Amino acid sequence: MNDLPNHFDAAHKVANFPSLKPAVPERTKGKRRKYRTIWISDIHLGTKGCNHELLIDFLDHTDSETMYLVGDIIDGWRLKKKLYWPAEHNDIVWRILKRAKRGTRIIYIPGNHDEMIRPFSGMNFGGVEIMRAAFHDTADGRRLMVLHGDEFDTIMLAHRWLAYVGDALYHVMMKLNNWVASVRARLGLPYWSLSKAAKHKVKNAVEFISRYEEVVARAAAERGVDGVVCGHIHTAECRSFVHEGREVEYWNDGDWVEGCNALVEHFDGTMEILNWPEEVARRENAATDVKTSVPEAA
């Protein structure tokens, strides 16, 4: 706790980012999609795995009344080992803080990789509210519990050292993922995640994800809410569970390392998971169709 004042000063400096100009200019032309609520998590700023290009594109094409940052926004584990912070990562922070200044309510729920932010729970920096967990009421009257989800990860709870080993192996996979993504980009192919595809092929990983979802949903049911929104496992998903006769919705907003997903709430309370690489591909295809349909001038 002796370092808390230093961390407090650092947090205030971060909150002043909007005074700096972003390296990637904010998109100002064109309409933004408007949502009642947006949930994003597992950005992992401070790592090469962070897909900053797609996230910046997402932030420049969407808006909401409320935005939840559901943990692992900054990867403190990796930053402790090696400093990596390109200008585009500042641009993401700038865009989030800019939203707060424009009136969007920003709620930041730290995860295990940014657990150094947890001591600031209850505080507000640059319009960003820090909370350990939150409850969200949808437009159609459902009550959702919002938390990162590492609280229900048995490896994190019982074998923290193993979690660090797994993190190191994961980042090796992400280096391969980045190489594949760069090759595909040079070939003009859309974004595709090697690590995400591998995870869905490995039986143990699939079983872990399924078990994790059940545990989180049961915890939500025991707290008397209608559903839960979390992150942590980098797998966007919507499922319904029944616990002691009570139906509970499980929502995972995915990540911005592998899948590049966000969870959104429309103004009527409808929830939807967005896969942003697919959204970008549709937009680019539509633009191409428009160009090819316009006849050349004689």
Side-chain angles (χ1 to χ4, degrees), residues 229-262:
V229 177
C230 63
H232 186 55
I233 59 172
H234 293 206
T235 304
E237 186 61 88
C238 165
R239 293 182 65 187
S240 292
F241 294 88
V242 177
H243 178 68
E244 296 182 352
R246 181 185 181 87
E247 185 175 0
V248 179
E249 293 179 336
Y250 166 92
W251 294 92
N252 193 300
D253 61 18
D255 69 287
W256 288 89
V257 175
E258 300 173 70
C260 299
N261 304 104

PDB file of all heavy atoms in Angstrom, residues 229-262:
ATOM      1  N   VAL A 229     -22.665 -11.002 -17.384  1.00  0.00           N
ATOM      2  CA  VAL A 229     -21.760 -10.615 -18.480  1.00  0.00           C
ATOM      3  C   VAL A 229     -20.335 -10.689 -17.943  1.00  0.00           C
ATOM      4  O   VAL A 229     -20.042 -10.119 -16.887  1.00  0.00           O
ATOM      5  CB  VAL A 229     -22.048  -9.187 -18.992  1.00  0.00           C
ATOM      6  CG1 VAL A 229     -21.037  -8.806 -20.071  1.00  0.00           C
ATOM      7  CG2 VAL A 229     -23.467  -9.083 -19.523  1.00  0.00           C
ATOM      8  N   CYS A 230     -19.467 -11.386 -18.660  1.00  0.00           N
ATOM      9  CA  CYS A 230     -18.082 -11.507 -18.220  1.00  0.00           C
ATOM     10  C   CYS A 230     -17.153 -11.567 -19.430  1.00  0.00           C
ATOM     11  O   CYS A 230     -17.597 -11.462 -20.581  1.00  0.00           O
ATOM     12  CB  CYS A 230     -17.896 -12.749 -17.346  1.00  0.00           C
ATOM     13  SG  CYS A 230     -18.216 -14.308 -18.208  1.00  0.00           S
ATOM     14  N   GLY A 231     -15.873 -11.721 -19.164  1.00  0.00           N
ATOM     15  CA  GLY A 231     -14.864 -11.863 -20.201  1.00  0.00           C
ATOM     16  C   GLY A 231     -13.940 -12.999 -19.827  1.00  0.00           C
ATOM     17  O   GLY A 231     -14.379 -14.116 -19.605  1.00  0.00           O
ATOM     18  N   HIS A 232     -12.649 -12.715 -19.743  1.00  0.00           N
ATOM     19  CA  HIS A 232     -11.607 -13.569 -19.184  1.00  0.00           C
ATOM     20  C   HIS A 232     -11.146 -14.710 -20.083  1.00  0.00           C
ATOM     21  O   HIS A 232      -9.949 -14.902 -20.253  1.00  0.00           O
ATOM     22  CB  HIS A 232     -12.051 -14.128 -17.827  1.00  0.00           C
ATOM     23  CG  HIS A 232     -10.985 -14.911 -17.109  1.00  0.00           C
ATOM     24  ND1 HIS A 232      -9.746 -14.384 -16.840  1.00  0.00           N
ATOM     25  CD2 HIS A 232     -10.973 -16.186 -16.636  1.00  0.00           C
ATOM     26  CE1 HIS A 232      -9.019 -15.313 -16.213  1.00  0.00           C
ATOM     27  NE2 HIS A 232      -9.730 -16.403 -16.086  1.00  0.00           N
ATOM     28  N   ILE A 233     -12.072 -15.501 -20.647  1.00  0.00           N
ATOM     29  CA  ILE A 233     -11.645 -16.704 -21.369  1.00  0.00           C
ATOM     30  C   ILE A 233     -11.524 -16.497 -22.878  1.00  0.00           C
ATOM     31  O   ILE A 233     -11.303 -17.455 -23.618  1.00  0.00           O
ATOM     32  CB  ILE A 233     -12.575 -17.901 -21.065  1.00  0.00           C
ATOM     33  CG1 ILE A 233     -14.016 -17.580 -21.461  1.00  0.00           C
ATOM     34  CG2 ILE A 233     -12.467 -18.299 -19.609  1.00  0.00           C
ATOM     35  CD1 ILE A 233     -14.942 -18.777 -21.358  1.00  0.00           C
ATOM     36  N   HIS A 234     -11.686 -15.269 -23.344  1.00  0.00           N
ATOM     37  CA  HIS A 234     -11.485 -14.926 -24.763  1.00  0.00           C
ATOM     38  C   HIS A 234     -12.390 -15.741 -25.691  1.00  0.00           C
ATOM     39  O   HIS A 234     -11.979 -16.115 -26.795  1.00  0.00           O
ATOM     40  CB  HIS A 234     -10.016 -15.142 -25.169  1.00  0.00           C
ATOM     41  CG  HIS A 234      -9.058 -14.208 -24.503  1.00  0.00           C
ATOM     42  ND1 HIS A 234      -7.844 -13.854 -25.062  1.00  0.00           N
ATOM     43  CD2 HIS A 234      -9.121 -13.540 -23.320  1.00  0.00           C
ATOM     44  CE1 HIS A 234      -7.205 -13.023 -24.258  1.00  0.00           C
ATOM     45  NE2 HIS A 234      -7.972 -12.821 -23.183  1.00  0.00           N
ATOM     46  N   THR A 235     -13.603 -16.001 -25.253  1.00  0.00           N
ATOM     47  CA  THR A 235     -14.545 -16.768 -26.068  1.00  0.00           C
ATOM     48  C   THR A 235     -15.919 -16.119 -25.981  1.00  0.00           C
ATOM     49  O   THR A 235     -16.627 -16.272 -24.979  1.00  0.00           O
ATOM     50  CB  THR A 235     -14.635 -18.233 -25.595  1.00  0.00           C
ATOM     51  OG1 THR A 235     -13.326 -18.819 -25.605  1.00  0.00           O
ATOM     52  CG2 THR A 235     -15.552 -19.037 -26.507  1.00  0.00           C
ATOM     53  N   ALA A 236     -16.290 -15.368 -27.010  1.00  0.00           N
ATOM     54  CA  ALA A 236     -17.595 -14.711 -27.031  1.00  0.00           C
ATOM     55  C   ALA A 236     -18.688 -15.773 -27.111  1.00  0.00           C
ATOM     56  O   ALA A 236     -18.596 -16.706 -27.901  1.00  0.00           O
ATOM     57  CB  ALA A 236     -17.687 -13.762 -28.216  1.00  0.00           C
ATOM     58  N   GLU A 237     -19.720 -15.610 -26.290  1.00  0.00           N
ATOM     59  CA  GLU A 237     -20.752 -16.641 -26.239  1.00  0.00           C
ATOM     60  C   GLU A 237     -22.028 -16.114 -25.606  1.00  0.00           C
ATOM     61  O   GLU A 237     -22.010 -15.203 -24.777  1.00  0.00           O
ATOM     62  CB  GLU A 237     -20.241 -17.832 -25.419  1.00  0.00           C
ATOM     63  CG  GLU A 237     -21.154 -19.048 -25.386  1.00  0.00           C
ATOM     64  CD  GLU A 237     -21.397 -19.655 -26.737  1.00  0.00           C
ATOM     65  OE1 GLU A 237     -20.610 -20.523 -27.158  1.00  0.00           O
ATOM     66  OE2 GLU A 237     -22.378 -19.230 -27.399  1.00  0.00           O
ATOM     67  N   CYS A 238     -23.142 -16.698 -26.022  1.00  0.00           N
ATOM     68  CA  CYS A 238     -24.445 -16.456 -25.406  1.00  0.00           C
ATOM     69  C   CYS A 238     -25.079 -17.819 -25.156  1.00  0.00           C
ATOM     70  O   CYS A 238     -25.270 -18.597 -26.108  1.00  0.00           O
ATOM     71  CB  CYS A 238     -25.327 -15.621 -26.323  1.00  0.00           C
ATOM     72  SG  CYS A 238     -27.072 -15.642 -25.848  1.00  0.00           S
ATOM     73  N   ARG A 239     -25.376 -18.119 -23.900  1.00  0.00           N
ATOM     74  CA  ARG A 239     -25.999 -19.390 -23.552  1.00  0.00           C
ATOM     75  C   ARG A 239     -27.016 -19.176 -22.433  1.00  0.00           C
ATOM     76  O   ARG A 239     -26.918 -18.202 -21.678  1.00  0.00           O
ATOM     77  CB  ARG A 239     -24.962 -20.420 -23.077  1.00  0.00           C
ATOM     78  CG  ARG A 239     -23.994 -20.885 -24.138  1.00  0.00           C
ATOM     79  CD  ARG A 239     -23.040 -21.930 -23.587  1.00  0.00           C
ATOM     80  NE  ARG A 239     -23.731 -23.151 -23.193  1.00  0.00           N
ATOM     81  CZ  ARG A 239     -23.154 -24.168 -22.556  1.00  0.00           C
ATOM     82  NH1 ARG A 239     -21.864 -24.090 -22.233  1.00  0.00           N
ATOM     83  NH2 ARG A 239     -23.826 -25.252 -22.233  1.00  0.00           N
ATOM     84  N   SER A 240     -27.968 -20.072 -22.356  1.00  0.00           N
ATOM     85  CA  SER A 240     -28.946 -20.051 -21.261  1.00  0.00           C
ATOM     86  C   SER A 240     -28.754 -21.291 -20.410  1.00  0.00           C
ATOM     87  O   SER A 240     -28.579 -22.396 -20.946  1.00  0.00           O
ATOM     88  CB  SER A 240     -30.372 -20.003 -21.807  1.00  0.00           C
ATOM     89  OG  SER A 240     -30.632 -18.768 -22.434  1.00  0.00           O
ATOM     90  N   PHE A 241     -28.781 -21.115 -19.104  1.00  0.00           N
ATOM     91  CA  PHE A 241     -28.657 -22.213 -18.155  1.00  0.00           C
ATOM     92  C   PHE A 241     -29.866 -22.200 -17.228  1.00  0.00           C
ATOM     93  O   PHE A 241     -30.453 -21.148 -16.971  1.00  0.00           O
ATOM     94  CB  PHE A 241     -27.375 -22.082 -17.326  1.00  0.00           C
ATOM     95  CG  PHE A 241     -26.111 -22.232 -18.120  1.00  0.00           C
ATOM     96  CD1 PHE A 241     -25.526 -21.132 -18.741  1.00  0.00           C
ATOM     97  CD2 PHE A 241     -25.493 -23.465 -18.248  1.00  0.00           C
ATOM     98  CE1 PHE A 241     -24.360 -21.257 -19.468  1.00  0.00           C
ATOM     99  CE2 PHE A 241     -24.323 -23.602 -18.978  1.00  0.00           C
ATOM    100  CZ  PHE A 241     -23.749 -22.504 -19.589  1.00  0.00           C
ATOM    101  N   VAL A 242     -30.210 -23.362 -16.710  1.00  0.00           N
ATOM    102  CA  VAL A 242     -31.281 -23.465 -15.722  1.00  0.00           C
ATOM    103  C   VAL A 242     -30.679 -24.005 -14.438  1.00  0.00           C
ATOM    104  O   VAL A 242     -30.082 -25.093 -14.430  1.00  0.00           O
ATOM    105  CB  VAL A 242     -32.424 -24.386 -16.205  1.00  0.00           C
ATOM    106  CG1 VAL A 242     -33.488 -24.524 -15.113  1.00  0.00           C
ATOM    107  CG2 VAL A 242     -33.046 -23.836 -17.479  1.00  0.00           C
ATOM    108  N   HIS A 243     -30.811 -23.238 -13.356  1.00  0.00           N
ATOM    109  CA  HIS A 243     -30.283 -23.635 -12.056  1.00  0.00           C
ATOM    110  C   HIS A 243     -31.413 -23.584 -11.039  1.00  0.00           C
ATOM    111  O   HIS A 243     -31.973 -22.515 -10.770  1.00  0.00           O
ATOM    112  CB  HIS A 243     -29.137 -22.705 -11.631  1.00  0.00           C
ATOM    113  CG  HIS A 243     -28.575 -23.023 -10.281  1.00  0.00           C
ATOM    114  ND1 HIS A 243     -27.862 -24.172 -10.022  1.00  0.00           N
ATOM    115  CD2 HIS A 243     -28.635 -22.335  -9.106  1.00  0.00           C
ATOM    116  CE1 HIS A 243     -27.492 -24.181  -8.751  1.00  0.00           C
ATOM    117  NE2 HIS A 243     -27.944 -23.081  -8.175  1.00  0.00           N
ATOM    118  N   GLU A 244     -31.748 -24.760 -10.500  1.00  0.00           N
ATOM    119  CA  GLU A 244     -32.834 -24.880  -9.525  1.00  0.00           C
ATOM    120  C   GLU A 244     -34.112 -24.231 -10.038  1.00  0.00           C
ATOM    121  O   GLU A 244     -34.780 -23.469  -9.322  1.00  0.00           O
ATOM    122  CB  GLU A 244     -32.407 -24.283  -8.181  1.00  0.00           C
ATOM    123  CG  GLU A 244     -31.243 -25.034  -7.539  1.00  0.00           C
ATOM    124  CD  GLU A 244     -30.865 -24.468  -6.181  1.00  0.00           C
ATOM    125  OE1 GLU A 244     -31.401 -23.391  -5.811  1.00  0.00           O
ATOM    126  OE2 GLU A 244     -30.037 -25.101  -5.485  1.00  0.00           O
ATOM    127  N   GLY A 245     -34.424 -24.518 -11.299  1.00  0.00           N
ATOM    128  CA  GLY A 245     -35.657 -24.016 -11.902  1.00  0.00           C
ATOM    129  C   GLY A 245     -35.605 -22.579 -12.377  1.00  0.00           C
ATOM    130  O   GLY A 245     -36.592 -22.071 -12.910  1.00  0.00           O
ATOM    131  N   ARG A 246     -34.457 -21.944 -12.218  1.00  0.00           N
ATOM    132  CA  ARG A 246     -34.317 -20.535 -12.620  1.00  0.00           C
ATOM    133  C   ARG A 246     -33.441 -20.435 -13.862  1.00  0.00           C
ATOM    134  O   ARG A 246     -32.305 -20.934 -13.869  1.00  0.00           O
ATOM    135  CB  ARG A 246     -33.713 -19.720 -11.472  1.00  0.00           C
ATOM    136  CG  ARG A 246     -33.547 -18.228 -11.788  1.00  0.00           C
ATOM    137  CD  ARG A 246     -32.836 -17.517 -10.642  1.00  0.00           C
ATOM    138  NE  ARG A 246     -32.697 -16.095 -10.926  1.00  0.00           N
ATOM    139  CZ  ARG A 246     -33.618 -15.188 -10.640  1.00  0.00           C
ATOM    140  NH1 ARG A 246     -34.730 -15.569 -10.045  1.00  0.00           N
ATOM    141  NH2 ARG A 246     -33.427 -13.917 -10.929  1.00  0.00           N
ATOM    142  N   GLU A 247     -33.952 -19.798 -14.909  1.00  0.00           N
ATOM    143  CA  GLU A 247     -33.185 -19.627 -16.132  1.00  0.00           C
ATOM    144  C   GLU A 247     -32.283 -18.403 -16.024  1.00  0.00           C
ATOM    145  O   GLU A 247     -32.717 -17.331 -15.598  1.00  0.00           O
ATOM    146  CB  GLU A 247     -34.111 -19.476 -17.343  1.00  0.00           C
ATOM    147  CG  GLU A 247     -33.351 -19.417 -18.667  1.00  0.00           C
ATOM    148  CD  GLU A 247     -34.261 -19.392 -19.880  1.00  0.00           C
ATOM    149  OE1 GLU A 247     -35.500 -19.430 -19.701  1.00  0.00           O
ATOM    150  OE2 GLU A 247     -33.735 -19.337 -21.000  1.00  0.00           O
ATOM    151  N   VAL A 248     -31.042 -18.591 -16.398  1.00  0.00           N
ATOM    152  CA  VAL A 248     -30.046 -17.523 -16.311  1.00  0.00           C
ATOM    153  C   VAL A 248     -29.330 -17.400 -17.651  1.00  0.00           C
ATOM    154  O   VAL A 248     -28.943 -18.398 -18.259  1.00  0.00           O
ATOM    155  CB  VAL A 248     -29.014 -17.802 -15.195  1.00  0.00           C
ATOM    156  CG1 VAL A 248     -27.979 -16.680 -15.135  1.00  0.00           C
ATOM    157  CG2 VAL A 248     -29.709 -17.943 -13.854  1.00  0.00           C
ATOM    158  N   GLU A 249     -29.150 -16.181 -18.125  1.00  0.00           N
ATOM    159  CA  GLU A 249     -28.427 -15.933 -19.362  1.00  0.00           C
ATOM    160  C   GLU A 249     -26.941 -15.725 -19.061  1.00  0.00           C
ATOM    161  O   GLU A 249     -26.581 -14.997 -18.136  1.00  0.00           O
ATOM    162  CB  GLU A 249     -28.970 -14.686 -20.066  1.00  0.00           C
ATOM    163  CG  GLU A 249     -30.376 -14.811 -20.583  1.00  0.00           C
ATOM    164  CD  GLU A 249     -30.856 -13.536 -21.237  1.00  0.00           C
ATOM    165  OE1 GLU A 249     -30.322 -12.462 -20.899  1.00  0.00           O
ATOM    166  OE2 GLU A 249     -31.742 -13.603 -22.099  1.00  0.00           O
ATOM    167  N   TYR A 250     -26.114 -16.361 -19.865  1.00  0.00           N
ATOM    168  CA  TYR A 250     -24.668 -16.179 -19.769  1.00  0.00           C
ATOM    169  C   TYR A 250     -24.195 -15.466 -21.026  1.00  0.00           C
ATOM    170  O   TYR A 250     -24.450 -15.918 -22.144  1.00  0.00           O
ATOM    171  CB  TYR A 250     -23.962 -17.528 -19.630  1.00  0.00           C
ATOM    172  CG  TYR A 250     -22.458 -17.478 -19.852  1.00  0.00           C
ATOM    173  CD1 TYR A 250     -21.587 -17.280 -18.788  1.00  0.00           C
ATOM    174  CD2 TYR A 250     -21.910 -17.624 -21.129  1.00  0.00           C
ATOM    175  CE1 TYR A 250     -20.211 -17.228 -18.980  1.00  0.00           C
ATOM    176  CE2 TYR A 250     -20.540 -17.575 -21.337  1.00  0.00           C
ATOM    177  CZ  TYR A 250     -19.698 -17.375 -20.257  1.00  0.00           C
ATOM    178  OH  TYR A 250     -18.327 -17.314 -20.457  1.00  0.00           O
ATOM    179  N   TRP A 251     -23.522 -14.331 -20.836  1.00  0.00           N
ATOM    180  CA  TRP A 251     -22.965 -13.579 -21.952  1.00  0.00           C
ATOM    181  C   TRP A 251     -21.468 -13.384 -21.716  1.00  0.00           C
ATOM    182  O   TRP A 251     -21.050 -12.968 -20.641  1.00  0.00           O
ATOM    183  CB  TRP A 251     -23.618 -12.201 -22.064  1.00  0.00           C
ATOM    184  CG  TRP A 251     -25.072 -12.224 -22.434  1.00  0.00           C
ATOM    185  CD1 TRP A 251     -26.146 -12.232 -21.576  1.00  0.00           C
ATOM    186  CD2 TRP A 251     -25.617 -12.234 -23.754  1.00  0.00           C
ATOM    187  NE1 TRP A 251     -27.320 -12.244 -22.284  1.00  0.00           N
ATOM    188  CE2 TRP A 251     -27.026 -12.245 -23.631  1.00  0.00           C
ATOM    189  CE3 TRP A 251     -25.056 -12.232 -25.036  1.00  0.00           C
ATOM    190  CZ2 TRP A 251     -27.882 -12.250 -24.726  1.00  0.00           C
ATOM    191  CZ3 TRP A 251     -25.904 -12.234 -26.130  1.00  0.00           C
ATOM    192  CH2 TRP A 251     -27.297 -12.257 -25.976  1.00  0.00           C
ATOM    193  N   ASN A 252     -20.673 -13.699 -22.733  1.00  0.00           N
ATOM    194  CA  ASN A 252     -19.244 -13.393 -22.680  1.00  0.00           C
ATOM    195  C   ASN A 252     -18.934 -12.466 -23.849  1.00  0.00           C
ATOM    196  O   ASN A 252     -19.283 -12.776 -24.997  1.00  0.00           O
ATOM    197  CB  ASN A 252     -18.396 -14.662 -22.773  1.00  0.00           C
ATOM    198  CG  ASN A 252     -16.941 -14.419 -22.402  1.00  0.00           C
ATOM    199  OD1 ASN A 252     -16.260 -13.621 -23.033  1.00  0.00           O
ATOM    200  ND2 ASN A 252     -16.468 -15.108 -21.383  1.00  0.00           N
ATOM    201  N   ASP A 253     -18.324 -11.318 -23.562  1.00  0.00           N
ATOM    202  CA  ASP A 253     -18.112 -10.309 -24.606  1.00  0.00           C
ATOM    203  C   ASP A 253     -16.860 -10.562 -25.445  1.00  0.00           C
ATOM    204  O   ASP A 253     -16.525  -9.767 -26.322  1.00  0.00           O
ATOM    205  CB  ASP A 253     -18.079  -8.905 -24.006  1.00  0.00           C
ATOM    206  CG  ASP A 253     -16.960  -8.715 -22.992  1.00  0.00           C
ATOM    207  OD1 ASP A 253     -16.012  -9.527 -22.987  1.00  0.00           O
ATOM    208  OD2 ASP A 253     -17.044  -7.770 -22.190  1.00  0.00           O
ATOM    209  N   GLY A 254     -16.168 -11.692 -25.203  1.00  0.00           N
ATOM    210  CA  GLY A 254     -15.034 -12.051 -26.052  1.00  0.00           C
ATOM    211  C   GLY A 254     -13.754 -11.318 -25.720  1.00  0.00           C
ATOM    212  O   GLY A 254     -13.415 -11.121 -24.550  1.00  0.00           O
ATOM    213  N   ASP A 255     -13.047 -10.851 -26.726  1.00  0.00           N
ATOM    214  CA  ASP A 255     -11.730 -10.237 -26.525  1.00  0.00           C
ATOM    215  C   ASP A 255     -11.352  -9.435 -27.759  1.00  0.00           C
ATOM    216  O   ASP A 255     -12.054  -9.440 -28.767  1.00  0.00           O
ATOM    217  CB  ASP A 255     -10.684 -11.328 -26.299  1.00  0.00           C
ATOM    218  CG  ASP A 255     -10.428 -12.130 -27.565  1.00  0.00           C
ATOM    219  OD1 ASP A 255     -11.291 -12.933 -27.964  1.00  0.00           O
ATOM    220  OD2 ASP A 255      -9.364 -11.943 -28.184  1.00  0.00           O
ATOM    221  N   TRP A 256     -10.195  -8.742 -27.655  1.00  0.00           N
ATOM    222  CA  TRP A 256      -9.635  -7.995 -28.793  1.00  0.00           C
ATOM    223  C   TRP A 256      -8.215  -8.455 -29.081  1.00  0.00           C
ATOM    224  O   TRP A 256      -7.347  -7.674 -29.468  1.00  0.00           O
ATOM    225  CB  TRP A 256      -9.720  -6.494 -28.537  1.00  0.00           C
ATOM    226  CG  TRP A 256     -11.141  -6.044 -28.632  1.00  0.00           C
ATOM    227  CD1 TRP A 256     -12.070  -5.999 -27.633  1.00  0.00           C
ATOM    228  CD2 TRP A 256     -11.834  -5.657 -29.829  1.00  0.00           C
ATOM    229  NE1 TRP A 256     -13.292  -5.607 -28.123  1.00  0.00           N
ATOM    230  CE2 TRP A 256     -13.171  -5.385 -29.468  1.00  0.00           C
ATOM    231  CE3 TRP A 256     -11.453  -5.511 -31.166  1.00  0.00           C
ATOM    232  CZ2 TRP A 256     -14.126  -4.965 -30.399  1.00  0.00           C
ATOM    233  CZ3 TRP A 256     -12.392  -5.092 -32.089  1.00  0.00           C
ATOM    234  CH2 TRP A 256     -13.716  -4.830 -31.710  1.00  0.00           C
ATOM    235  N   VAL A 257      -8.007  -9.760 -28.871  1.00  0.00           N
ATOM    236  CA  VAL A 257      -6.736 -10.390 -29.191  1.00  0.00           C
ATOM    237  C   VAL A 257      -6.946 -11.466 -30.250  1.00  0.00           C
ATOM    238  O   VAL A 257      -6.227 -11.531 -31.237  1.00  0.00           O
ATOM    239  CB  VAL A 257      -6.098 -11.007 -27.922  1.00  0.00           C
ATOM    240  CG1 VAL A 257      -4.822 -11.777 -28.265  1.00  0.00           C
ATOM    241  CG2 VAL A 257      -5.788  -9.918 -26.902  1.00  0.00           C
ATOM    242  N   GLU A 258      -7.968 -12.295 -30.044  1.00  0.00           N
ATOM    243  CA  GLU A 258      -8.247 -13.389 -30.972  1.00  0.00           C
ATOM    244  C   GLU A 258      -9.491 -13.101 -31.821  1.00  0.00           C
ATOM    245  O   GLU A 258      -9.417 -12.904 -33.027  1.00  0.00           O
ATOM    246  CB  GLU A 258      -8.439 -14.686 -30.190  1.00  0.00           C
ATOM    247  CG  GLU A 258      -7.236 -15.085 -29.363  1.00  0.00           C
ATOM    248  CD  GLU A 258      -7.530 -16.273 -28.468  1.00  0.00           C
ATOM    249  OE1 GLU A 258      -7.682 -17.379 -29.012  1.00  0.00           O
ATOM    250  OE2 GLU A 258      -7.612 -16.104 -27.234  1.00  0.00           O
ATOM    251  N   GLY A 259     -10.655 -13.104 -31.166  1.00  0.00           N
ATOM    252  CA  GLY A 259     -11.909 -12.986 -31.897  1.00  0.00           C
ATOM    253  C   GLY A 259     -12.295 -11.579 -32.296  1.00  0.00           C
ATOM    254  O   GLY A 259     -12.979 -11.366 -33.286  1.00  0.00           O
ATOM    255  N   CYS A 260     -11.882 -10.584 -31.485  1.00  0.00           N
ATOM    256  CA  CYS A 260     -12.230  -9.173 -31.714  1.00  0.00           C
ATOM    257  C   CYS A 260     -13.754  -8.999 -31.707  1.00  0.00           C
ATOM    258  O   CYS A 260     -14.369  -8.675 -32.729  1.00  0.00           O
ATOM    259  CB  CYS A 260     -11.615  -8.652 -32.999  1.00  0.00           C
ATOM    260  SG  CYS A 260      -9.811  -8.718 -33.005  1.00  0.00           S
ATOM    261  N   ASN A 261     -14.332  -9.226 -30.530  1.00  0.00           N
ATOM    262  CA  ASN A 261     -15.778  -9.165 -30.348  1.00  0.00           C
ATOM    263  C   ASN A 261     -16.172  -8.093 -29.348  1.00  0.00           C
ATOM    264  O   ASN A 261     -15.373  -7.666 -28.518  1.00  0.00           O
ATOM    265  CB  ASN A 261     -16.317 -10.507 -29.831  1.00  0.00           C
ATOM    266  CG  ASN A 261     -15.960 -11.675 -30.719  1.00  0.00           C
ATOM    267  OD1 ASN A 261     -15.079 -12.459 -30.396  1.00  0.00           O
ATOM    268  ND2 ASN A 261     -16.651 -11.785 -31.828  1.00  0.00           N
ATOM    269  N   ALA A 262     -17.425  -7.686 -29.419  1.00  0.00           N
ATOM    270  CA  ALA A 262     -18.022  -6.795 -28.427  1.00  0.00           C
ATOM    271  C   ALA A 262     -19.456  -7.258 -28.201  1.00  0.00           C
ATOM    272  O   ALA A 262     -20.091  -7.822 -29.099  1.00  0.00           O
ATOM    273  CB  ALA A 262     -18.002  -5.351 -28.908  1.00  0.00           C
TER     274      ALA A 262
END
